Amino acid sequence: MNAFVGRVHELTSLDAECHAPDGPWVFLVEGPAGIGKSRLLGEFARREQDRGATTGLRVVSVPATEFEHSTPLQLVHDILDRISELPDPASTRDDCSDPRELARLLRRRLGTEPTLLVIDDAHWADTASLHVLALLIRHRPDGTRLALAYRERQFPAALGHALRTLGTATFHLPVPPLSIADAAALLPELPSSRRERLLSAAHGNPLYLLLLAELTPAEFDTAVRSGDPASTDCSHLDRTIRAELAQLPDRELLAAAAAAVCGPTADADLLCATAELPLEELSAALDELARRGWLTITGGTVTFRHPLIRTAAYRLGGPGWRAGAHARAARTLRAADAPLLTRARHLEHALRGRDDLAATELIHAAELALPTDPATSARWITAALAAGSGHRTADLGTFDTNGSGDTGSGPHSPGPDRPTDASHNRPDRNRLAANDFDSPNSGAHRRVRDDSGPDNSIPASTDSPAATASRSHENWPSPGDSGPSGFGSADCGPGGVARVRIQHLLGRALLLSGAVEQAREVLEPLAARAGSQQQDSLLLYARCERILGNVDTARSRLATVADRPDLAGNGPVQLELAILELQDNRDVAGAARVRALFGSEAIREPAILAAALTLWSMGQLTELDMAGARANYQAGEREYTRLTDTQLLDSAHAVSALGWMAYFLDDQRTGLAHIERAVRVTRRFGRSFILPELYTVQAYSLAKLGRNEEALTAAEDAAECAELYGYPGILPLAGAIKLRVLHTTSPRAQVLEWWRTVDAMPRPVMRWWRAVVESALNEIAARLGIAAAKPAAAQPDRAHPMQPTEVGAFAQVLLGKGDIETAGRLVTQAEKAAQGLGLSGQLAAAAHARAEYACARADLDRAETAAQAAIEGYAVAEMPIQRAQAQLIAARVAGQRGDFGRATALIATARTEFTRAGTHELLIEATAAQRQLAGRQSVTGALALTEREREVAGLVARGCTNKEIAAQLFLSPRTVEDHLSRILRKLGLSSRAGIAQRLSEVDAKTL
């Protein structure tokens, strides 16, 4: 059971009202399903029971259930059973059915001692029991208190009448949604940004919050944002909701399932046709569902209270029933000439056998959906290809009556244009499925998961999309045949669309939606087939190979068309090659591709221009042409700012390059804004394959800005998406930044465990990424003392924008080991590299290393100058954690000089930053520095006094006033005040009263 969180205020209020003199004696706890009413009431009852020994209050708790709603007096008999009293010989029999007699019996038994009667889920109480409770309210037993929990707007009318008539004092407590702090207490292991997303999607409801927390980011998007429960695989999460929905009366059950099939709609004809109910019955059923809190009807539109409720309601019907319901919805929408996209959502799930017209509509709908929802487009193409081959079959099923999952028994279901027998679609509570939802491969209804998305609940082949695409034309009409789709040859698909074009469309949709392996399978034969689709297919295929880590394959295949003059419009090919070459540290080849890009017509397109400028700047950065790199980065950033969201999609895969350039050039805040925009846009338009790279550069940028918790969230999102979409190179790259963050925020054991995890991962194929991972592993290993790490960045093989930071970090490691000579050489190398770059962050890193080295050499003047340069450089580069670390060095120098006031102020500032960033390990270092300073303060401060300051301090210690000291030393009173101010600062004192004691301590230490 989860900890009791988020209801402290409500629990305190109940306690206070329960024990208040002349307070109310009826407590009403109200809220929607899953909000935590039962948990709150249970905790209230438990506490009162624990206090019973001192308060003398007996607690009797009874839940009402929907199962017993139709059993008269069930609740009352449960209450009597819970009261541990011997039968009252003067009473009537316990099993009598007269409400007045039972009320009198209850009064006698409750009146024997003060009692708190707690009734949970009072909205399920049977009518006869409510009558008895109403009589009990009218004639309250002495010392009795009554607490009732019930669903929002479902307070039993019989009790309400009794309370209003008597004017009974009540305490009404609506249970509010959880706050962000509550969610943190309930799910402490999750990063805050993810908790906030979950809490918002859950509407503050703890039940939904816990269910959604079990989902991966991709599953979360599907479950909450897709709006299509047929494509949502939450079967393992919605058992609780589904089991309760399954207890609905038959009419409400059918209406709920039909509303789930239709989705948010104000179309009464559609709902009636789907549910096969007349309007009068459907309206009554919807009103009852709204009263029970499952859905809302606003402006005539029927909407479920939460997507998880809709998913649970959808799964109440077996696969066959759902297919028939979708077929009826599709026919109704087609007759009403509804938009094709609206019809397609039903056609996808209504197909059971060959249906050329539906397949044609699905292909054209898929083309329309591709720019904004590629995952749905891929599903529709796959469904259309299966329909064109007549591959799918399905049976009608019944409703799931026990909340366990789908059922699948029943006769064959008709197609979307064939009549249905309504009797097959009614809920049958006496017939259970032969195969349970959670045993998907048993029985005749084998369920298949589409490779492009979650389980679509359609009985189908287990073939991959590529196999379906390549095989489907075999059963299409041969040349000379005629049909509703207008097929003309075996190379044509639905609607006369060329099969190659359909396969290309499917490959693109699969890639954009993140199904990279499946996309490659579909695109590989197209990339080798001459024709109008070849170049674009080859580009997409090469992108799949690059993502999957097959860099050489991608490079060689793209090179076959990149330089062919007979192929027009190869700008996107050059762009893809440029990205690939630069990521692989092939700077010369990358620069050549960028030049070719600027020489093509493609550069006229705004999205291509923005990407090309960014890649040009990246090439210049690797060549250390800092002026050119900065100028072209800024130009590219301006172009990206001008792009509309639709234009951004055309070069969204290059936005990560812009983010990296911003990171290297200390403009990470600007880069982060572009990355966050790209994440929003690509998520909105379903371009999932881009997310792993975007989340990774987002993590690095956030970490540089000191936003560690957000950086960890982004790194985890990158890793989850990389695993989901098959992007192996991202896993260690995201793991490396997580390792760096953990090193400053977590205990050594946790850092060591994660280091071993990252070290066990295959290194990225891309040379640049591999270098980043190796650098992090080597540095952290050296700091942990777990491996003989060699500073790779110090090797004279290749300069790069992070070289000063990496070399300086290893210099600090060597200083800690006492190797001052080697550290000095590395510091000089870091400074030389930083001067060549001219970047504030890199200059600060080199100065940081110089300050540490100077401290080790006891060169306080050089250390102070370098530390101050590091502080200022980190401030310009917006690197707050590193700035705070440099402040600790400055504090150490100030302490050695005896300037304890400055040292204390610097440590305090650093501690504030470490606390804000959650860098607990660095906070420990700051605390240690503060203690060392306090130890030195009593001695070295006085030793640092000048001869004149010592004279003034001695006179102050003897009790002389400022005026007397001025006269004795022939100084002005103002000069004496200045001397005294410096003395107090050096001794770490706030008043002259402690000077005598401090000087005596110094004299004793120096004897």
Side-chain angles (χ1 to χ4, degrees):
M1 179 179 291
N2 293 295
F4 179 79
V5 299
R7 305 296 181 222
V8 175
H9 173 72
E10 289 73 24
L11 187 59
T12 302
S13 299
L14 284 171
D15 287 342
E17 294 294 334
C18 184
H19 297 285
D22 300 323
W25 69 276
V26 177
F27 308 98
L28 308 177
V29 179
E30 179 182 17
I35 199 66
K37 305 180 299 296
S38 299
R39 194 70 189 278
L40 172 60
L41 207 57
E43 186 68 14
F44 174 53
R46 186 191 64 77
R47 291 195 180 193
E48 293 303 324
Q49 190 167 13
D50 291 344
R51 296 173 182 149
T54 56
T55 63
L57 185 65
R58 173 180 58 180
V59 178
V60 177
S61 297
V62 180
T65 65
E66 189 171 10
F67 297 103
E68 299 163 345
H69 181 67
S70 59
T71 304
L73 298 173
Q74 181 65 49
L75 180 62
V76 170
H77 287 300
D78 284 348
I79 296 172
L80 289 170
D81 290 342
R82 300 289 177 92
I83 300 176
S84 56
E85 290 289 327
L86 293 174
D88 185 348
S91 73
T92 58
R93 293 184 303 111
D94 286 3
D95 60 353
C96 76
S97 59
D98 182 80
R100 295 184 179 277
E101 289 298 324
L102 284 172
R104 280 193 284 269
L105 178 59
L106 267 180
R107 279 199 300 274
R108 280 196 296 272
R109 293 197 173 180
L110 291 172
T112 57
E113 59 183 292
T115 302
L116 172 64
L117 176 58
V118 178
I119 300 177
D120 192 17
D121 288 332
H123 51 280
W124 295 132
D126 61 273
T127 303
S129 293
L130 290 174
H131 190 187
V132 173
L133 290 176
L135 292 172
L136 190 68
I137 290 173
R138 292 176 183 274
H139 305 283
R140 172 198 178 192
D142 292 339
T144 297
R145 296 173 178 84
L146 178 63
L148 302 170
Y150 57 94
R151 284 197 185 160
E152 195 174 32
R153 297 190 297 274
Q154 295 185 46
F155 185 71
L159 300 186
H161 178 73
L163 292 173
R164 287 191 301 271
T165 301
L166 299 174
T168 304
T170 62
F171 176 64
H172 179 229
L173 181 65
V175 182
L178 294 178
S179 66
I180 293 176
D182 299 334
L186 189 62
L187 299 169
E189 72 283 359
L190 294 184
S192 61
S193 58
R194 186 176 179 191
R195 276 199 305 264
E196 290 177 17
R197 291 199 301 268
L198 291 171
L199 185 65
S200 175
H203 305 168
N205 188 300
L207 172 62
Y208 303 154
L209 178 63
L210 292 172
L211 292 178
L212 294 172
E214 297 184 35
L215 301 174
T216 66
E219 290 172 333
F220 172 79
D221 282 347
T222 303
V224 175
R225 297 172 182 167
S226 72
D228 184 4
S231 303
T232 304
D233 187 14
C234 293
S235 56
H236 60 298
L237 299 179
D238 59 16
R239 290 179 181 275
T240 302
I241 305 171
R242 197 165 66 239
E244 188 168 344
L245 284 170
Q247 306 309 313
L248 289 167
D250 289 352
R251 184 185 65 182
E252 282 71 25
L253 182 68
L254 187 58
V261 167
C262 295
T265 182
D267 190 337
D269 290 338
L270 178 63
L271 284 168
C272 288
T274 304
E276 294 184 300
L277 287 173
L279 180 59
E280 183 178 347
E281 288 191 46
L282 177 73
S283 298
L286 293 176
D287 286 342
E288 177 61 18
L289 290 170
R291 188 190 70 80
R292 290 172 178 250
W294 293 118
L295 49 77
T296 61
I297 304 175
T298 305
T301 299
V302 177
T303 308
F304 282 91
R305 291 286 294 267
H306 194 274
L308 287 179
I309 300 177
R310 183 186 173 193
T311 299
Y314 184 84
R315 294 183 184 277
L316 288 171
W321 182 90
R322 293 199 297 264
H326 281 295
R328 293 189 291 276
R331 282 198 309 276
T332 303
L333 291 169
R334 185 180 289 157
D337 197 24
L340 184 58
L341 290 176
T342 303
R343 301 204 304 272
R345 296 189 181 279
H346 294 287
L347 289 171
E348 174 192 359
H349 306 295
L351 297 176
R352 291 162 309 284
R354 179 163 175 164
D355 189 329
D356 295 335
L357 176 58
T360 298
E361 291 182 328
L362 280 170
I363 287 293
H364 291 301
E367 290 182 295
L368 294 174
L370 180 61
T372 58
D373 193 353
T376 296
S377 178
R379 291 201 320 272
W380 288 351
I381 298 166
T382 304
L385 292 172
S389 65
H391 185 65
R392 290 187 177 185
T393 59
D395 295 329
L396 276 176
T398 63
F399 275 88
D400 171 22
T401 59
N402 59 5
S404 63
D406 289 355
T407 63
S409 58
H412 288 289
S413 175
D417 291 307
R418 298 178 179 89
T420 61
D421 181 354
S423 64
H424 293 315
N425 299 297
R426 299 291 185 179
D428 183 354
R429 297 189 181 279
N430 297 317
R431 181 175 57 170
L432 297 178
N435 57 304
D436 187 81
F437 179 84
D438 299 304
S439 300
N441 294 324
S442 62
H445 295 282
R446 190 177 185 192
R447 297 163 59 82
V448 62
R449 178 167 300 185
D450 187 310
D451 287 317
S452 64
D455 188 346
N456 62 12
S457 303
I458 297 297
S461 167
T462 56
D463 289 338
S464 68
T468 302
S470 63
R471 185 200 63 244
S472 59
H473 75 283
E474 297 171 1
N475 295 319
W476 290 345
S478 60
D481 288 347
S482 61
S485 299
F487 293 2
S489 72
D491 282 334
C492 285
V497 180
R499 179 168 58 88
V500 171
R501 179 183 168 191
I502 295 175
Q503 288 178 297
H504 175 78
L505 186 68
L506 176 60
R508 179 183 290 276
L510 288 169
L511 170 60
L512 293 181
S513 61
V516 183
E517 286 273 12
Q518 291 75 29
R520 178 178 63 175
E521 186 181 356
V522 171
L523 291 165
E524 185 171 16
L526 301 182
R529 176 170 176 167
S532 60
Q533 302 288 342
Q534 183 182 18
Q535 182 171 315
D536 199 24
S537 295
L538 179 58
L539 174 63
L540 298 174
Y541 170 71
R543 188 170 295 165
C544 293
E545 294 288 22
R546 175 173 68 86
I547 290 173
L548 294 171
N550 304 319
V551 178
D552 291 337
T553 301
R555 180 185 294 114
S556 62
R557 295 298 296 272
L558 285 174
T560 60
V561 299
D563 302 319
R564 285 178 56 182
D566 59 316
L567 291 179
N570 66 355
V573 173
Q574 299 289 1
L575 177 62
E576 185 68 23
L577 268 171
I579 294 173
L580 189 153
E581 303 290 23
L582 290 171
Q583 286 182 344
D584 203 29
N585 279 350
R586 295 166 60 96
D587 304 334
V588 175
R593 296 304 173 188
V594 172
R595 285 194 297 272
L597 191 58
F598 274 95
S600 70
E601 289 296 318
I603 203 68
R604 297 178 182 274
E605 298 179 23
I608 298 293
L609 175 61
L613 286 167
T614 301
L615 295 175
W616 189 5
S617 71
M618 182 169 283
Q620 290 172 310
L621 180 64
T622 59
E623 295 172 356
L624 302 185
D625 176 5
M626 302 308 299
R630 189 176 295 280
N632 279 313
Y633 157 72
Q634 292 172 344
E637 191 274 327
R638 288 193 298 270
E639 291 299 324
Y640 267 111
T641 301
R642 295 190 184 105
L643 296 181
T644 65
D645 286 355
T646 302
Q647 291 173 325
L648 180 63
L649 289 176
D650 294 333
S651 65
H653 58 291
V655 176
S656 59
L658 181 73
W660 284 118
M661 281 302 300
Y663 176 83
F664 293 138
L665 295 177
D666 297 327
D667 194 24
Q668 59 273 6
R669 192 176 297 276
T670 299
L672 191 60
H674 284 282
I675 291 294
E676 289 172 345
R677 180 196 175 196
V679 168
R680 289 194 302 271
V681 172
T682 54
R683 288 171 70 90
R684 189 168 82 245
F685 291 103
R687 305 299 174 94
S688 304
F689 83 101
I690 306 171
L691 290 174
E693 285 194 57
L694 292 176
Y695 280 135
T696 301
V697 67
Q698 183 183 44
Y700 278 82
S701 300
L702 287 167
K704 191 172 181 180
L705 288 168
R707 294 158 60 177
N708 284 330
E709 190 171 4
E710 295 174 78
L712 287 175
T713 300
E716 289 168 0
D717 286 346
E720 288 179 337
C721 289
E723 288 181 338
L724 182 66
Y725 304 132
Y727 209 147
I730 289 294
L731 289 171
L733 188 62
I737 188 59
K738 181 178 178 180
L739 178 64
R740 289 191 177 278
V741 173
L742 290 178
H743 183 249
T744 63
T745 61
S746 303
R748 184 181 187 278
Q750 186 176 347
V751 179
L752 179 58
E753 180 182 2
W754 185 247
W755 184 92
R756 288 171 176 158
T757 299
V758 177
D759 187 49
M761 295 177 182
R763 300 297 186 265
V765 175
M766 297 292 189
R767 292 185 180 90
W768 168 33
W769 293 1
R770 184 165 65 247
V772 172
V773 175
E774 293 286 359
S775 175
L777 287 169
N778 286 339
E779 180 186 335
I780 303 304
R783 292 186 182 279
L784 294 175
I786 60 174
K790 188 176 183 180
Q795 298 175 8
D797 57 347
R798 185 174 188 274
H800 60 89
M802 298 298 294
Q803 190 177 26
T805 294
E806 293 179 3
V807 175
F810 273 98
Q812 294 176 54
V813 171
L814 293 175
L815 287 172
K817 295 180 177 181
D819 189 352
I820 297 179
E821 183 179 352
T822 305
R825 289 198 297 270
L826 290 179
V827 169
T828 301
Q829 182 181 346
E831 289 175 328
K832 182 178 179 180
Q835 289 166 2
L837 292 169
L839 298 170
S840 297
Q842 299 308 311
L843 289 167
H848 190 157
R850 172 61 68 183
E852 290 279 18
Y853 175 73
C855 280
R857 297 289 302 272
D859 185 351
L860 297 186
D861 289 340
R862 187 76 177 271
E864 183 177 28
T865 301
Q868 187 59 37
I871 292 171
E872 294 171 358
Y874 283 137
V876 174
E878 290 195 272
M879 301 169 67
I881 296 175
Q882 291 81 356
R883 180 173 183 267
Q885 289 178 291
Q887 287 172 330
L888 287 185
I889 301 174
R892 190 194 318 161
V893 173
Q896 290 175 344
R897 287 180 176 277
D899 193 346
F900 297 113
R902 173 173 166 74
T904 300
L906 286 167
I907 292 175
T909 302
R911 283 179 58 87
T912 299
E913 183 55 47
F914 293 151
T915 301
R916 185 202 63 78
T919 51
H920 307 296
E921 299 304 303
L922 296 180
L923 188 60
I924 292 173
E925 290 184 20
T927 301
Q930 196 167 30
R931 288 173 180 166
Q932 290 175 356
L933 181 66
R936 293 176 54 84
Q937 205 166 338
S938 61
V939 178
T940 58
L943 294 177
L945 297 178
T946 65
E947 183 177 349
R948 176 64 79 183
E949 289 169 349
R950 183 60 190 254
E951 282 185 291
V952 173
L955 292 172
V956 171
R958 291 199 296 269
C960 296
T961 65
N962 287 2
K963 187 175 181 179
E964 292 170 341
I965 295 171
Q968 187 169 339
L969 298 179
F970 302 102
L971 300 172
S972 69
R974 178 62 180 272
T975 301
V976 173
E977 290 178 4
D978 291 340
H979 281 309
L980 183 58
S981 176
R982 288 193 293 273
I983 291 167
L984 292 175
R985 187 176 69 250
K986 289 182 178 182
L987 296 181
L989 298 173
S990 58
S991 70
R992 60 196 294 155
I995 290 179
Q997 181 179 351
R998 187 61 52 83
L999 291 178
S1000 65
E1001 291 174 357
V1002 172
D1003 292 339
K1005 293 281 186 181
T1006 54
L1007 289 177

